[in-house]
Amino acid sequence: MDDANSNKEKLVVEVVAAHNLMPKDGEGSSSPFVEVEFENQRLRTQVKYKDLNPVWNQKLVFHVKDVADLPYRTIQINVFNEKRSSNSRNFLGKVMVSGASIAKEGEEVAQLYTLDKRSLFSHIRGEISLKFYLSTKETVKEMTDTPLSVPSSSKKNKKLQQQGPPMVVHQQQQAVTQNNHNKTHHHPTQQHAKPGETNDIKPVVITAGHGPAIPVPGGGGVPVGMGGFRNVFSGGSSEFSLKETSPHLGGGVLHRDKTSSTYDLVEQMQYLYVRILKCRDVSAASGSEIMAEVKLGNYRGITKRVSANAPEWDQVFAFSKDCIQSSMAEIAVKEKDKDEFLGRVWFDLSEVPSRVPPDSQLAPQWHRMEDKKGDKSKAGEIMVSVWFGTQADEAFAEAWHSKAANVHFDGLSSIKSKVYLSPKLWYFRVSIIEAQDIVPGEKGAGMVRFPELSVKAQVGNQVFRTRTAQASQSRSLSNPYWNEDLMFVVAEPFEDYLLVSVEDRVGPGRDEVVGRVLLPVSQIEQRTDDKPVGSRWFNIDNHFGNAGEPQIVSRFGSRIHLRVSLEGGYHVLDETTMYSSDVRPTAKQLWKPHIGVLEMGILGATGLIPIKLKEGKGGGSTDSYCVAKYGHKWVRTRTVVDSLSPKWNEQYTWEVFDPCTVITIGVFDNSRVDKTTTNAGGGSRDSRIGKVRIRLSTLESDRVYTHSYPLLMLHTTGVKKMGELHLAVRFSCANMGNMLTIYSLPLLPKMHYVHPLAVNQLDNLRYQAMNVVAGRMSRAEPPLGREVVEYMLDHDSHMWSMRRSKANFFRLMSVLSSFVAMGRFIESIRNWNKPVYSTIVTVIFLMLVSFPELIIPLVLLYMAFVGIWRYRSRPRHPPHMDTRLSHAETVYSDELDEEFDSFPTSRSAEVVRMRYDRLRSVAGRIQTVVGDMASQGERVQALLSWRDPRATFLFVSFCLFAAVGFYFVPTKAVVALLGLYVLRPPKFRSKLPSKALSFFRRLPTKADSFL
């Protein structure tokens, strides 16, 4: 009997890990364990104390009464938090799995399940990874079955039910640990298995926090079953830290095939592609509209409606292989608004071929359809092609995806991946020099008042105005003179016009146009260097085509003197200089060859916060997509509909011209997927989820960085983690010599230094450039919203924030801390706290004074040695958003409310008064510090100003005697004596300040003249 049971198949439920669980212990964490119920059998895993991202890798084995009935059975998985104090537990989520999804041993694959609520008011979040398979090798440990029908109302029964299973779990855990230990020793190369044979969950799906690491040979202590992760930065909260991952990229590292050469930074995703081109000989009514329908299990895709006279669709449908629940694919042709099909054809998925680029596309073929009676002679033919492929397939970008089945037709275009090119921006310089024979406004009063003439220049929605022309004895009233430069931002192709208007202020707030000139920007001269551009006189139109204007006005030949040019030698800044992704000049003839290539695989995200609330349901959803911006190239991934753990697995490439640049990656929620939101007037805005910046100069060449970046957002309630973004980044350099040469070149083009622009002017031009880019991006299809462009370009980085001010202050203090530490070290040497060190420093000082030629070589040698020594502890991972550095964790709520306040403010008068008083107190301290610094400088000036004649007399006399003394006494002796005097022991020093310092403090300052 025992032998029969041992050979019988058992159900094995392998609990791999969970992620982003809800903290329920009152201390911001949980102690989770998993309880699995199957056919009146209940087993549980061990408890992972204080871990919101637990890793179990534990097998639970169950008896199966009848394998044939297994597809009709259900496995219930519950996750609980153990309360050690009260012997009770909190509910963390549940999963119901059908027995039909159980695989055979050797074919099991880890699946990720979202934890469901037990009731409407349950607070649940997170995912759990499980494996289900049948096995004859595993044995069920002896246990007393706990029938689920037995009431457990008494505390005694509850305690027995909670204490019994853990004993069995402990025995099973030992057996599983021993089994894994044996597997590790007998199969040392199993971590390099082929893509189709791996059973470990990939970290792009889930990344755990602090789990036990089971060492694998050559794995570097990466946990088994998790695909590999490691906390990189432990400073601050571990929730906001960067995690290193080891996803299975491009078919693996050691077993890479030719198909993974293009998409080697993403995980391969298998899809079933169905291309429907056209049909013929369909028995449809004349003039009616027909459509094709693709059915695969519960998924259904419908083509557009076309005329039955010439039915052509040429549409592609993509079904994710992970979601395929059927072995047959059905393609049917139907009439509009009718459920009955005109003809259909079936495809067995086991016979569908696989296509791998760079193979040519699969040629479509005519297939004869069958009608409702199964007759193939009258239903017509349809031309289709069906194949298995990956996201590298050319049809992937334009295909209809099965996971977008609930997206309305108007929103389909907004979920596809696209590449955008930002317009080529130019600085447009307009120099307003002078004008002649201007007729002032209000012609009857022209002789009794001085005309207040100014010039207004407008390009598109950019408007600038010169100052009012001043009166001059050498110029008449009708010949004003300005000589001002105005700068605009224009984009190719040049479609705008320059409108120059001469206006006369005839009253308060009332300007009268007395003449104008209209110039097309496309005809303006372009220059790439600092050579002067010739100026021109332009005739002014001063009657504006008004037939009723007196003809005498046209006799005045009014004209204006302008110098206009398109500046191609500048780089138009549309983002802050700190985060600039491109520093090339506008003119293409000034570009240098690229020095490298940046490749990025956008793998996916995990633990996203629900953005949209579902009506009538307790949970929410997120339709997320990713935007990456580097240089002129913007990329947008496809939108993964209704998923808190989306997987994009899309790879993009950029040419790199300067390594000291930054790539920005942002994650957003697509608001155009929801039909009700889209029809509300088109005013929907995509919500921000988070942003990541990576500086290319911090990356090593030809190394693949795979990390999970925290997506952090600052709200009025504080910093909040919105999820984690998984990226694979590689920066390749073709010529290291060219790369190193870049570091000696100026950061910006030559014109920024020959004819520099003012800081305020640059900020204004950056704002104008952002408006131009946002306007062009909104005209694309699908449009890239203005809110996305503004967030990616940091449009609000110049706004005042108390939090940022504190962060910048402490950054400055961190920089100065090394000098403060050096000063403390010197002071400790002077105080002889450690006589041995003080003696050594004194000897070294005397040696350097005797041989001064060794000072500079020793300093340089010391810096080189420190750099070589710190190479061992160099940063091995790219930086990420640091909440501690940003002072986001310790900021006060009122300071956050002030940071998110609009400009001008919308808060009450009392709040504004309180903030103004606080700002006055801070500014008062800064004012005191600045005043003290100015006083020290004024004391230095007072040494020779004779403001204090006695002090200046003493200083001049000292300089004369010192000059004579330094002439006769060697400099080395003076420096040595001065150094020994400073380093003398405290026993020979007085606690009073020195005479030189006392003399300096007595010098006068200009503070005496302050009101």
Side-chain angles (χ1 to χ4, degrees):
M1 187 69 178
D2 294 339
D3 296 338
N5 289 334
S6 62
N7 295 328
K8 191 176 181 181
E9 288 184 314
K10 286 89 175 174
L11 171 63
V12 180
V13 179
E14 184 173 350
V15 183
V16 181
H19 173 63
N20 197 25
L21 298 179
M22 178 71 70
K24 289 198 174 183
D25 62 353
E27 300 177 358
S29 186
S30 291
S31 300
F33 67 91
V34 179
E35 189 176 82
V36 183
E37 297 178 2
F38 176 71
E39 291 186 344
N40 293 334
Q41 304 171 67
R42 179 184 297 163
L43 295 177
R44 55 178 283 185
T45 65
Q46 62 180 356
V47 181
K48 297 291 184 180
Y49 293 103
K50 301 292 184 181
D51 194 350
L52 296 179
N53 301 285
V55 180
W56 287 285
N57 285 323
Q58 184 173 341
K59 297 179 182 178
L60 305 180
V61 186
F62 297 88
H63 284 296
V64 180
K65 296 180 180 179
D66 189 355
V67 179
D69 294 338
L70 191 58
Y72 307 102
R73 298 289 183 262
T74 301
I75 308 168
Q76 182 173 350
I77 299 94
N78 297 314
V79 185
F80 296 99
N81 166 56
E82 184 185 66
K83 288 185 177 180
R84 304 180 65 181
S85 58
S86 58
N87 287 329
S88 59
R89 55 189 183 180
N90 299 113
F91 181 73
L92 295 179
K94 70 174 183 178
V95 174
M96 304 290 289
V97 180
S98 173
S101 61
I102 298 174
K104 297 180 180 179
E105 187 174 13
E107 299 179 359
E108 69 274 10
V109 177
Q111 297 287 340
L112 188 68
Y113 300 90
T114 302
L115 295 175
D116 297 328
K117 294 186 176 183
R118 183 165 53 184
S119 63
L120 180 63
F121 302 100
S122 299
H123 296 282
I124 301 301
R125 75 178 187 191
E127 300 88 19
I128 187 171
S129 178
L130 302 167
K131 295 181 183 179
F132 301 93
Y133 61 93
L134 295 174
S135 174
T136 58
K137 300 177 183 179
E138 303 290 342
T139 58
V140 180
K141 303 300 178 182
E142 292 184 3
M143 61 170 289
T144 55
D145 293 343
T146 305
L148 299 179
S149 58
V150 176
S152 56
S153 58
S154 65
K155 295 183 179 179
K156 183 176 181 180
N157 288 338
K158 286 184 178 180
K159 186 173 292 188
L160 289 175
Q161 291 178 4
Q162 293 173 1
Q163 292 178 355
M167 298 175 60
V168 180
V169 170
H170 181 69
Q171 297 172 0
Q172 287 191 351
Q173 180 65 20
Q174 291 180 348
V176 171
T177 305
Q178 183 65 27
N179 188 18
N180 290 340
H181 180 74
N182 295 335
K183 287 182 179 180
T184 303
H185 283 278
H186 291 126
H187 304 283
T189 59
Q190 65 178 6
Q191 62 173 341
H192 303 300
K194 294 181 180 180
E197 298 174 358
T198 181
N199 296 327
D200 293 339
I201 184 171
K202 301 172 183 178
V204 70
V205 179
I206 179 172
T207 55
H210 305 284
I214 304 175
V216 178
V222 179
V224 176
M226 290 303 299
F229 70 90
R230 184 168 58 216
N231 264 353
V232 175
F233 295 104
S234 58
S237 175
S238 61
E239 183 183 4
F240 304 141
S241 63
L242 183 70
K243 300 183 180 73
E244 185 178 9
T245 60
S246 305
H248 208 277
L249 302 179
V253 179
L254 298 180
H255 299 277
R256 180 180 301 173
D257 52 13
K258 294 181 180 180
T259 64
S260 63
S261 58
T262 304
Y263 290 84
D264 59 343
L265 293 183
V266 294
E267 295 181 311
Q268 289 188 2
M269 301 175 65
Q270 297 291 329
Y271 288 89
L272 173 66
Y273 291 96
V274 179
R275 179 185 293 273
I276 303 178
L277 278 81
K278 54 187 176 180
C279 66
R280 64 187 180 187
D281 301 334
V282 178
S283 57
S286 178
S288 62
E289 292 182 339
I290 62 175
M291 59 185 180
E293 180 185 80
V294 183
K295 291 184 64 177
L296 189 64
N298 295 330
Y299 294 100
R300 184 181 65 167
I302 302 176
T303 65
K304 58 186 177 182
R305 299 169 181 173
V306 297
S307 174
N309 300 328
E312 291 189 8
W313 296 286
D314 195 13
Q315 289 185 241
V316 182
F317 299 84
F319 298 87
S320 177
K321 196 173 182 180
D322 298 337
C323 302
I324 293 178
Q325 302 175 355
S326 175
S327 61
M328 302 290 290
E330 176 188 353
I331 303 176
V333 177
K334 298 181 178 181
E335 283 191 82
K336 175 184 176 182
D337 299 330
K338 290 185 179 180
D339 296 333
E340 297 182 355
F341 60 88
L342 303 176
R344 66 180 178 181
V345 61
W346 297 83
F347 291 91
D348 188 354
L349 299 188
S350 62
E351 299 179 359
V352 172
S354 297
R355 174 184 175 266
V356 178
D359 293 349
S360 300
Q361 295 187 4
L362 196 66
Q365 298 180 2
W366 287 104
H367 296 268
R368 185 168 296 278
M369 297 184 292
E370 62 180 22
D371 56 12
K372 292 179 292 185
K373 300 180 181 179
D375 188 4
K376 293 187 178 182
S377 60
K378 301 179 181 180
E381 293 180 324
I382 186 171
M383 178 179 285
V384 298
S385 59
V386 184
W387 72 94
F388 280 108
T390 64
Q391 72 268 35
D393 202 292
E394 294 87 349
F396 176 78
E398 299 297 331
W400 175 92
H401 291 268
S402 56
K403 294 185 178 180
N406 297 327
V407 180
H408 61 96
F409 181 76
D410 295 334
L412 283 177
S413 61
S414 68
I415 66 174
K416 296 181 180 179
S417 59
K418 293 292 181 181
V419 175
Y420 305 85
L421 292 178
S422 59
K424 191 176 181 181
L425 303 178
W426 291 72
Y427 282 149
F428 181 29
R429 187 189 299 271
V430 179
S431 299
I432 312 293
I433 303 176
E434 59 180 335
Q436 288 182 355
D437 301 332
I438 299 297
V439 179
E442 294 187 354
K443 301 167 181 58
M447 301 300 294
V448 296
R449 75 173 181 88
F450 179 79
E452 301 180 12
L453 298 175
S454 63
V455 176
K456 183 179 74 173
Q458 180 175 358
V459 177
N461 59 354
Q462 306 174 55
V463 180
F464 293 100
R465 188 186 299 272
T466 66
R467 70 182 189 280
T468 303
Q470 301 297 322
S472 176
Q473 297 180 357
S474 60
R475 306 181 70 89
S476 63
L477 298 180
S478 60
N479 298 332
Y481 182 79
W482 297 281
N483 195 23
E484 287 190 33
D485 282 352
L486 306 178
M487 295 287 286
F488 300 88
V489 177
V490 294
E492 292 184 358
F494 302 121
E495 302 172 350
D496 298 322
Y497 285 82
L498 170 64
L499 177 61
V500 180
S501 304
V502 181
E503 299 182 352
D504 183 15
R505 175 155 294 184
V506 296
R510 181 187 170 196
D511 294 329
E512 180 179 336
V513 178
V514 297
R516 64 179 56 172
V517 175
L518 189 65
L519 302 175
V521 179
S522 58
Q523 299 180 6
I524 302 300
E525 179 183 356
Q526 301 178 5
R527 71 168 182 172
T528 60
D529 49 23
D530 58 339
K531 294 181 180 180
V533 177
S535 58
R536 291 178 55 192
W537 287 93
F538 295 90
N539 294 326
I540 294 179
D541 182 10
N542 50 14
H543 58 78
F544 316 124
N546 188 359
E549 190 76 18
Q551 294 296 323
I552 189 174
V553 177
S554 61
R555 292 185 298 175
F556 289 92
S558 302
R559 59 180 186 169
I560 189 170
H561 194 191
L562 303 176
R563 182 186 296 112
V564 291
S565 61
L566 290 169
E567 303 290 341
Y570 290 92
H571 168 71
V572 180
L573 293 168
D574 57 350
E575 49 196 348
T576 58
T577 310
M578 295 181 296
Y579 312 133
S580 181
S581 61
D582 187 15
V583 292
R584 291 175 295 170
T586 301
K588 197 169 184 178
Q589 57 265 34
L590 299 179
W591 292 2
K592 297 181 180 179
H594 68 277
I595 61 171
V597 174
L598 173 65
E599 299 169 277
M600 173 173 289
I602 305 175
L603 304 179
T606 55
L608 297 183
I609 301 298
I611 303 298
K612 304 183 182 74
L613 297 179
K614 296 182 179 179
E615 297 181 0
K617 298 183 180 180
S621 65
T622 299
D623 307 318
S624 56
Y625 66 93
C626 196
V627 175
K629 193 264 182 188
Y630 184 78
H632 292 253
K633 183 177 178 181
W634 299 59
V635 300
R636 171 178 178 163
T637 66
R638 71 187 188 282
T639 300
V640 178
V641 180
D642 194 10
S643 176
L644 301 181
S645 298
K647 294 174 65 176
W648 294 293
N649 282 309
E650 299 184 19
Q651 183 171 341
Y652 298 95
T653 304
W654 290 268
E655 291 183 342
V656 178
F657 295 85
D658 195 313
C660 302
T661 47
V662 177
I663 182 172
T664 305
I665 308 99
V667 183
F668 302 88
D669 176 74
N670 195 337
S671 62
R672 296 168 179 83
V673 173
D674 188 2
K675 188 173 183 179
T676 58
T677 305
T678 305
N679 293 339
S684 58
R685 294 169 60 89
D686 293 350
S687 301
R688 307 170 180 177
I689 297 179
K691 180 168 56 178
V692 173
R693 298 191 194 98
I694 301 176
R695 184 171 292 275
L696 271 60
S697 59
T698 62
L699 305 178
E700 298 179 9
S701 299
D702 301 319
R703 175 186 169 185
V704 178
Y705 290 84
T706 54
H707 291 89
S708 171
Y709 296 83
L711 296 173
L712 306 177
M713 283 291 295
L714 196 64
H715 299 272
T716 54
T717 56
V719 65
K720 186 176 183 181
K721 182 179 179 181
M722 308 294 289
E724 294 181 355
L725 178 63
H726 301 260
L727 300 174
V729 184
R730 179 173 59 208
F731 176 40
S732 304
C733 174
N735 190 325
M736 185 57 67
N738 295 339
M739 171 82 72
L740 299 178
T741 305
I742 294 293
Y743 281 84
S744 62
L745 300 179
L747 181 63
L748 295 174
K750 175 183 176 182
M751 287 294 292
H752 285 270
Y753 306 98
V754 176
H755 293 291
L757 302 175
V759 176
N760 294 335
Q761 193 175 19
L762 280 175
D763 289 340
N764 186 36
L765 291 173
R766 188 171 77 88
Y767 179 75
Q768 299 296 340
M770 186 201 64
N771 287 334
V772 174
V773 173
R776 289 293 180 91
M777 292 297 183
S778 63
R779 293 163 57 183
E781 184 61 32
L784 205 60
R786 181 181 182 86
E787 67 278 4
V788 176
V789 176
E790 290 181 349
Y791 184 57
M792 296 291 290
L793 297 180
D794 288 308
H795 75 291
D796 57 351
S797 60
H798 63 285
M799 299 298 292
W800 158 257
S801 168
M802 180 67 76
R803 176 188 60 84
R804 291 178 182 172
S805 301
K806 290 181 179 179
N808 289 330
F809 173 76
F810 284 105
R811 285 174 58 199
L812 179 61
M813 295 302 297
S814 177
V815 172
L816 298 177
S817 62
S818 58
F819 299 97
V820 174
M822 187 180 300
R824 291 176 179 174
F825 173 75
I826 295 175
E827 187 65 24
S828 66
I829 294 298
R830 290 184 66 244
N831 293 331
W832 290 75
N833 296 331
K834 298 180 179 180
V836 177
Y837 289 174
S838 300
T839 304
I840 294 175
V841 170
T842 304
V843 172
I844 294 176
F845 171 73
L846 294 176
M847 183 186 67
L848 293 178
V849 171
S850 303
F851 304 97
E853 63 274 7
L854 297 178
I855 296 177
I856 295 179
L858 284 178
V859 171
L860 297 177
L861 188 62
Y862 170 76
M863 296 177 66
F865 176 76
V866 172
I868 295 173
W869 178 261
R870 291 183 178 180
Y871 178 79
R872 302 188 338 180
S873 59
R874 68 190 183 279
R876 303 178 187 273
H877 311 280
H880 69 297
M881 301 291 184
D882 193 339
T883 55
R884 177 177 297 179
L885 179 67
S886 306
H887 276 254
E889 295 179 331
T890 58
V891 66
Y892 296 104
S893 58
D894 181 70
E895 294 177 358
L896 284 176
D897 183 71
E898 181 184 15
E899 184 171 347
F900 284 94
D901 190 10
S902 60
F903 189 86
T905 181
S906 58
R907 300 298 184 262
S908 63
E910 292 297 327
V911 174
V912 174
R913 180 181 302 173
M914 182 269 295
R915 292 173 179 172
Y916 176 66
D917 292 340
R918 181 179 61 195
L919 189 60
R920 287 177 63 190
S921 64
V922 175
R925 300 173 191 172
I926 299 175
Q927 170 185 292
T928 303
V929 174
V930 173
D932 292 341
M933 296 174 62
S935 297
Q936 306 307 322
E938 289 168 355
R939 287 192 176 104
V940 175
Q941 294 176 350
L943 289 172
L944 298 174
S945 65
W946 293 93
R947 188 172 184 84
D948 185 346
R950 286 171 292 276
T952 305
F953 171 76
L954 290 175
F955 180 72
V956 170
S957 301
F958 171 77
C959 291
L960 291 175
F961 285 107
V964 175
F966 274 97
Y967 180 77
F968 291 104
V969 180
T971 305
K972 293 182 181 181
V974 174
V975 175
L977 292 175
L978 183 61
L980 292 175
Y981 176 78
V982 173
L983 295 175
R984 69 190 186 279
K987 184 178 180 180
F988 303 100
R989 288 206 302 262
S990 174
K991 294 183 179 180
L992 298 178
S994 63
K995 291 180 172 54
L997 183 59
S998 299
F999 173 79
F1000 182 77
R1001 288 176 177 175
R1002 290 178 178 274
L1003 293 172
T1005 65
K1006 294 181 180 180
D1008 305 334
S1009 304
F1010 263 23
L1011 291 176

